[in-house]
């Protein structure tokens, strides 16, 4: 019998308790016995039992641990979507289980105003052995990641320290070997995109094939692009191929110019299309650096509309907006 049932049973036993003499004097009851209208009116139904709570908010007033987590900025509504985790969290003692982890995170470099966001995403860190966490930080230090590097990586990839030293070492080895990068470039790559150490390798492997086999880039060209734009390793395959197809086959921009400005893969395709079509309409769509009025991919995709119109298209923003309405 669970606690809710036991509490309910005690209430019922208390309310219905009668002496043996009183029981002897009570007439026998039958579920089929008719009830008069007068008796029916006087019947008061017991209120329904409260449902079992599925929200941690109901426990905050009774839990010092939850109260302090809320003060830190932890969003309990997101944690309670995982019932098993929520139940485990309720069993933790703040002084014994949580305080030392908070001090560790602050020592790593997570600021007070960042703890809430971090712990909302990675509440599982409370269930990690503290010595294991320290060992993983020591491993990163042994690989010449600076304190600033480690802080940035942990902040941007909250689950990083949940992974074993063996896993971290294997991942660093994979990127260094697969991309044929130097130790320093490998380190710089994962500092900029630490999710490479925590996420699935399948998108990375798939994208490497796409760049080489489908899009026709050489290995050294791929190296150059991903060290400038690490997100290219995990980008959506369809987005990559559609962007390349438009830039290379419609705008007639060769591989070597795309390699110089890989930011184009980090730009929404509709933005590239709108600007290219406007420049074509104006007769200014020139992407050959050997010709007058050359427009680099970098300028095409990186500047805001005002600068694009005034400095590149030699038109007003109003003219650009009117043109877009014709598309």
């Amino acid at each position: 019998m669970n606690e809710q049932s036991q509490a309910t049973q005690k209430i019922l036993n208390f309310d219905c308790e009668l002496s043996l003499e009183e029981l002897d004097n009570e007439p026998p009851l039958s579920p089929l016995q008719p009830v008069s209208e007068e008796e029916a009116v006087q019947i008061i139904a017991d209120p329904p039992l409260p449902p079992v709570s599925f929200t941690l908010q109901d426990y905050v007033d009774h839990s010092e641990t939850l109260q302090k987590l809320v003060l830190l900025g932890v969003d309990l509504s997101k944690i309670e979507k995982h019932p098993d985790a929520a139940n485990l969290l309720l069993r933790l003692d703040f002084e014994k289980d949580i305080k030392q982890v908070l001090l560790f995170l602050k020592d790593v470099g997570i600021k007070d105003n960042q703890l809430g966001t971090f712990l909302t995403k990675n509440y599982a860190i409370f269930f990690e052995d503290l010595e294991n966490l320290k060992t993983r930080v020591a491993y990163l230090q042994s690989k010449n990641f600076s304190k600033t590097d480690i802080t940035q990586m942990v902040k941007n990839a909250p689950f990083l320290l949940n992974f074993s030293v063996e896993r971290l070492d294997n991942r660093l080895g994979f990127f260094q070997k697969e991309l044929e990068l130097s130790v320093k470039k490998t380190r710089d790559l994962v500092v900029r995109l630490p999710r490479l150490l925590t996420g699935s390798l399948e998108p990375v492997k798939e994208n490497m094939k796409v760049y080489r086999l489908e899009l026709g880039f050489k290995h050294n060209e791929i190296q150059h692009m991903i060290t400038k734009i690490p997100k290219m390793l995990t980008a959506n395959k369809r987005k990559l191929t559609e962007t390349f197809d438009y830039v290379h086959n419609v705008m007639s921009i060769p591989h070597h110019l795309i390699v110089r400005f890989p930011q184009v893969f980090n730009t929404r395709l509709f933005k590239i299309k709108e600007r290219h079509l406007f420049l074509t309409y104006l007769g200014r769509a020139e992407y050959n650096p050997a010709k007058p009025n050359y427009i680099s991919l970098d300028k095409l995709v990186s500047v805001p509309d005002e600068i694009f119109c005034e400095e590149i298209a030699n038109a007003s923003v109003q003219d650009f907006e009117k043109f877009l309405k014709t598309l």
Side-chain angles (χ1 to χ4, degrees):
M1 182 181 296
N2 59 33
E3 293 180 2
Q4 178 81 50
S5 300
Q6 289 176 343
T8 303
Q9 190 62 47
K10 287 180 182 178
I11 293 171
L12 290 173
N13 288 343
F14 178 81
D15 289 342
C16 301
E17 194 169 349
L18 295 172
S19 67
L20 290 176
E21 289 86 5
E22 288 173 319
L23 283 173
D24 288 339
N25 293 330
E26 288 291 314
L29 295 177
S30 166
L32 301 178
Q33 182 174 329
V35 179
S36 67
E37 290 186 12
E38 292 79 7
E39 291 174 322
V41 172
Q42 295 175 6
I43 294 176
I44 301 176
D46 292 331
L49 295 175
V52 175
S53 177
F54 286 97
T55 170
L56 287 174
Q57 196 62 40
D58 292 345
Y59 296 96
V60 170
D61 290 342
H62 312 286
S63 169
E64 179 192 14
T65 296
L66 294 185
Q67 290 170 13
K68 291 186 175 180
L69 289 177
V70 169
L71 289 175
L72 286 171
V74 175
D75 188 344
L76 299 180
S77 67
K78 292 185 178 179
I79 297 177
E80 68 194 21
K81 292 177 182 177
H82 309 276
D84 291 341
N87 288 331
L88 287 172
L89 201 61
L90 282 170
R91 298 191 183 110
L92 295 181
D93 178 85
F94 187 85
E95 291 295 325
K96 186 176 72 172
D97 304 313
I98 291 180
K99 188 175 181 179
Q100 293 303 312
V101 175
L102 296 179
L103 293 174
F104 163 78
L105 289 174
K106 291 183 70 171
D107 187 57
V108 167
I110 304 299
K111 297 178 181 178
D112 289 351
N113 61 359
Q114 298 170 335
L115 283 170
T117 301
F118 178 92
L119 295 171
T120 298
K121 293 178 181 177
N122 185 16
Y123 48 83
I125 199 168
F126 291 132
F127 311 114
E128 292 285 332
D129 182 83
L130 186 59
E131 290 306 312
N132 286 342
L133 294 174
K134 292 178 180 179
T135 299
R136 293 159 194 169
V137 171
Y139 165 78
L140 293 174
Q141 291 170 335
S142 75
K143 294 297 180 180
N144 292 322
F145 288 95
S146 68
K147 181 172 176 58
T148 301
D149 290 340
I150 295 172
T151 300
Q152 181 178 331
M153 292 167 70
V154 173
K155 185 173 67 173
N156 293 333
F159 293 99
L160 180 68
L161 296 181
N162 294 45
F163 292 97
S164 68
V165 167
E166 292 75 18
R167 160 74 177 254
L168 296 174
D169 191 61
N170 287 338
R171 281 302 176 90
L172 287 172
F174 169 84
F175 288 108
Q176 186 175 349
K177 181 180 178 181
E178 183 74 16
L179 304 175
E180 297 181 14
L181 298 175
S182 66
V183 172
K184 183 181 184 305
K185 285 189 175 181
T186 302
R187 189 166 56 241
D188 292 343
L189 179 74
V190 298
V191 168
R192 293 178 62 194
L193 192 63
R195 286 184 288 110
L196 290 173
L197 298 179
T198 61
S200 170
L201 286 177
E202 291 310 309
V204 175
K205 293 176 180 178
E206 182 67 23
N207 283 356
M208 290 295 292
K209 290 180 182 178
V210 169
Y211 292 127
R212 188 173 65 254
L213 302 178
E214 295 184 32
L215 307 187
F217 288 103
K218 299 174 184 176
H219 187 75
N220 64 322
E221 292 176 328
I222 299 171
Q223 280 182 321
H224 177 80
M225 290 191 296
I226 62 98
T227 51
K228 289 189 73 173
I229 311 291
K231 285 184 179 179
M232 288 180 63
L233 284 170
T234 56
N236 179 272
K237 177 185 173 182
R238 180 179 175 183
K239 180 180 183 296
L240 289 176
T241 53
E242 288 181 348
T243 298
F244 176 82
D245 180 63
Y246 192 83
V247 172
H248 183 64
N249 298 320
V250 177
M251 297 170 62
S252 301
I253 298 179
H255 282 78
H256 72 275
L257 287 182
I258 297 175
V259 172
R260 287 175 59 187
F261 306 110
Q263 294 89 341
V264 71
F265 287 110
N266 212 22
T267 306
R268 292 180 179 179
L269 182 55
F270 79 84
K271 181 178 180 180
I272 298 172
K273 287 182 176 180
E274 288 176 350
R275 293 188 174 188
H276 169 66
L277 291 172
F278 186 53
L279 291 174
T280 301
Y281 170 74
L282 296 173
R284 298 183 60 82
E286 182 55 71
Y287 308 114
N288 186 342
K291 293 186 177 181
N293 301 318
Y294 161 66
I295 297 170
S296 71
L297 270 180
D298 183 38
K299 287 186 176 179
L300 179 70
V301 302
S302 64
V303 299
D305 283 347
E306 293 78 8
I307 296 177
F308 165 74
C309 292
E310 293 173 13
E311 298 183 8
I312 299 174
N314 285 346
S316 67
V317 175
Q318 290 75 18
D319 289 337
F320 184 43
E321 291 174 347
K322 287 180 182 177
F323 173 78
L324 294 181
K325 291 178 181 178
T326 67
L327 297 181

